[in-house]
Amino acid sequence: MINMSIPSVNEQLEVIERGTVEIVPRVELIQKLEQSYKTQTPLRVKLGCDPTRPDLHLGHSVILRKMRQFQDLGHHTILIIGDFTAMIGDPSGANKTRPALTREEVVANGKSYFEQTSKILNPDKTEIVYNSEWLSPMNFEDVIRLASHYTVARMIERDDFTRRYQNNDTISLHEFLYPLAQGQDSVHLKSDIELGGIDQKFNLLVGRHLQKEFGQSQQICLMMPLLVGTDGSQKMSKSYDNYIGIDEKPEDMYGKALSIPDDLIYPYFELVTDIAHEKLPDIRKRAVADPRNTKHELAWILTRMYHGKDKADQARTYFERTVIRKDVPDDMPEFILKTDSNHGLLDVIKKTGFVPSSNEARRLVTQGGVTLDGEKITDPRYRFDIQKDSEMILKVGKRKFGKLIFRN
RNA sequence: GGGGAGGUACCGAAGCGGUCAAACGGGGCAGACUGUAAAUCUGUUGGCUUAGCCUUCACAGGUUCGAAUCCUGUCCUCCCCA
């Protein structure tokens, strides 16, 4: 008998359904919850992740937060590091087949992933597994046997396959194996519930299908909406550069949060903040009535969640100062320069690392994106001619500041 | 296996012997503006010791005063037929 306390089914449902976009099938979820409650046996909740790019952002947090809720309800959660499936790469069209990661990379990425998820998940309640553990030993025969449980017609129903097929884009045969591999994970782990974004629906359903083929109880597919990124149009993703990373500096987090379009204020509150559920109706109203302040509140809460109250306060001050009042921040990196040589502006900008090339520096200067002590410098041939010890504030672009210190 | 069409900068896509560092759109960056790092408008978007030079149009050779553009080979993709 496991010593635990799983709350009543209704209590659980309320939490579980919060923010979900689809639960397939809801009735079976209720059945599983009832069974679990009756026997006080935790459900096995599975979430797969791709260890290729271990930089977590708020988009990931939507599902991780859901996972956390299951932990808090007393269920058993399993985080799969998809080190094996990463070799295939989820066939989303833009993805190309990825080179196999080395053992070291996998371990390093997995570790980094775990550390990052620990900001959201309860690390003590998270079972970590690597799917190479069971996928790697499978031989050709095993794969053929697995593949025989799915049909081509059903495979190309998946919308990105359909789209790519119609567009005459390449679809490598091995990409069909990705959903199967992910489904095999469910079979192997005998999962009761698999979490995923709504874009994962196909893969999650394959898991359900395979479990049935293998005579197991079928997992519930619980799907969360995709968080729209800061650009307000596409899903949050590192490759669209519209993301807010959970490791982001407080000031960046705050600023980026403020840059979202107004109509995302409410969804963000709902999906990625820890604000109490009862407060959401009020937020919904205020997001429309007073977007400015509500958005600042959102930015503050997010920053607080990942960096604490003090940092959140500082981030707010920083934003008000540098962006609203166009003032100079307190802290900025310092660069020490000799007074004897007369430095070229472009060189100095390049040395700060604010730009990737001197051409970029030249462009910024020419376009008026560079100031020294608040004064716009537009001559790319500008040279410093400093005799005495002194300091200057260099601003490059919208928000890169550096203190130039001239000294012998 | 046979026939056809292609591989161009971050992405999509023009160009088909010189005027091409390469049109146009998206994305990025910057300026103006703004409650905002939003929207909009404008500019910009290979590198460098920048009035000039260097390296790019799948890869390797070749023709030519000169090639992204022509030829040969290689690799890769798509379509039709089998």
Side-chain angles (χ1 to χ4, degrees):
Chain A
M1 186 69 188
I2 299 159
N3 185 18
M4 60 170 296
S5 56
I6 293 178
S8 76
V9 172
N10 280 343
E11 275 176 79
Q12 292 193 63
L13 258 187
E14 195 180 313
V15 176
I16 292 171
E17 289 196 292
R18 195 175 289 175
T20 55
V21 61
E22 200 173 350
I23 298 176
V24 182
R26 188 170 179 272
V27 244
E28 282 182 31
L29 171 64
I30 295 171
Q31 286 164 7
K32 286 209 183 230
L33 289 173
E34 279 168 351
Q35 181 69 15
S36 156
Y37 181 68
K38 216 179 290 170
T39 60
Q40 286 291 296
T41 309
L43 294 174
R44 297 170 63 77
V45 182
K46 163 203 176 204
L47 173 66
C49 66
D50 175 357
T52 322
R53 300 175 99 177
D55 297 306
L56 260 49
H57 52 63
L58 293 184
H60 301 111
S61 84
V62 174
I63 291 158
L64 290 169
R65 290 184 54 72
K66 182 55 66 184
M67 182 105 153
R68 174 62 193 248
Q69 289 165 358
F70 275 101
Q71 294 184 327
D72 292 344
L73 291 172
H75 294 291
H76 182 73
T77 56
I78 307 167
L79 186 66
I80 303 175
I81 310 287
D83 61 335
F84 191 85
T85 32
M87 291 192 311
I88 307 175
D90 193 16
S92 74
N95 280 326
K96 304 206 167 67
T97 305
R98 293 170 179 159
L101 301 169
T102 66
R103 192 69 226 157
E104 292 73 43
E105 286 170 323
V106 167
V107 171
N109 288 351
K111 197 175 156 217
S112 156
Y113 202 96
F114 179 68
E115 277 164 15
Q116 292 180 64
T117 58
S118 298
K119 291 188 173 182
I120 298 166
L121 299 175
N122 180 338
D124 298 332
K125 292 187 177 172
T126 311
E127 181 185 350
I128 308 273
V129 291
Y130 290 80
N131 65 6
S132 61
E133 187 192 310
W134 56 87
L135 293 179
S136 207
M138 288 177 77
N139 63 27
F140 200 18
E141 195 183 330
D142 298 327
V143 175
I144 290 171
R145 202 159 276 157
L146 177 64
S148 73
H149 289 284
Y150 220 77
T151 66
V152 171
R154 292 205 60 186
M155 196 56 84
I156 54 178
E157 277 173 11
R158 182 176 153 143
D159 59 316
D160 33 30
F161 284 145
T162 306
R163 199 190 59 244
R164 285 164 66 194
Y165 193 65
Q166 282 169 351
N167 279 350
N168 297 338
D169 287 336
T170 319
I171 302 174
S172 292
L173 199 52
H174 77 283
E175 295 184 68
F176 285 166
L177 299 178
Y178 188 95
L180 293 178
Q182 186 170 334
Q184 177 63 28
D185 291 348
S186 295
V187 172
H188 178 84
L189 295 168
K190 299 188 169 58
S191 55
D192 291 302
I193 298 176
E194 179 164 4
L195 307 181
I198 187 67
D199 59 339
Q200 284 288 306
K201 186 171 179 177
F202 183 90
N203 292 345
L204 304 199
L205 287 171
V206 171
R208 224 178 117 71
H209 174 83
L210 289 179
Q211 284 177 317
K212 187 181 177 192
E213 294 284 307
F214 288 97
Q216 292 184 8
S217 159
Q218 292 179 279
Q219 67 182 12
I220 309 304
C221 308
L222 189 151
M223 281 137 319
M224 299 302 292
L226 300 182
L227 188 70
V228 177
T230 55
D231 60 357
S233 56
Q234 287 175 293
K235 74 163 181 175
M236 183 173 286
S237 152
K238 208 179 169 190
S239 45
Y240 299 142
D241 196 26
N242 62 355
Y243 68 100
I244 301 176
I246 66 171
D247 265 343
E248 204 112 33
K249 284 189 295 181
E251 306 83 60
D252 291 339
M253 195 176 256
Y254 196 98
K256 282 187 176 188
L258 275 187
S259 79
I260 64 171
D262 291 356
D263 57 3
L264 286 183
I265 297 174
Y266 179 74
Y268 271 49
F269 265 104
E270 184 185 37
L271 295 169
V272 297
T273 70
D274 55 10
I275 194 163
H277 198 54
E278 309 82 74
K279 290 190 180 169
L280 285 175
D282 178 51
I283 294 289
R284 193 193 280 277
K285 277 182 221 148
R286 284 199 287 129
V288 178
D290 183 14
R292 194 192 90 95
N293 287 319
T294 316
K295 204 189 284 185
H296 272 278
E297 190 178 333
L298 170 67
W300 187 87
I301 290 176
L302 283 173
T303 313
R304 189 218 72 217
M305 283 170 64
Y306 294 99
H307 296 284
K309 281 188 172 142
D310 293 349
K311 295 279 186 195
D313 287 339
Q314 284 166 26
R316 169 155 208 164
T317 309
Y318 178 91
F319 188 87
E320 283 169 346
R321 183 181 274 199
T322 60
V323 180
I324 298 177
R325 296 214 309 270
K326 296 195 194 309
D327 222 341
V328 178
D330 285 335
D331 289 323
M332 64 185 91
E334 299 181 347
F335 303 94
I336 301 187
L337 300 161
K338 295 264 185 203
T339 51
D340 49 2
S341 58
N342 75 346
H343 305 274
L345 210 213
L346 298 185
D347 258 0
V348 171
I349 294 174
K350 202 182 161 192
K351 273 183 197 139
T352 61
F354 290 158
V355 295
S357 72
S358 66
N359 249 12
E360 184 67 26
R362 171 178 302 272
R363 233 170 267 134
L364 284 168
V365 171
T366 314
Q367 294 186 119
V370 171
T371 63
L372 282 173
D373 280 342
E375 200 177 320
K376 203 172 271 190
I377 308 290
T378 54
D379 178 10
R381 281 165 304 185
Y382 180 92
R383 299 195 146 275
F384 294 91
D385 185 18
I386 310 281
Q387 305 302 328
K388 284 178 264 178
D389 285 7
S390 61
E391 293 182 0
M392 274 184 149
I393 305 293
L394 169 72
K395 185 186 181 198
V396 178
K398 282 192 215 299
R399 48 186 188 260
K400 289 170 189 155
F401 291 90
K403 186 180 283 179
L404 304 180
I405 299 173
F406 293 88
R407 174 190 302 162
N408 252 320

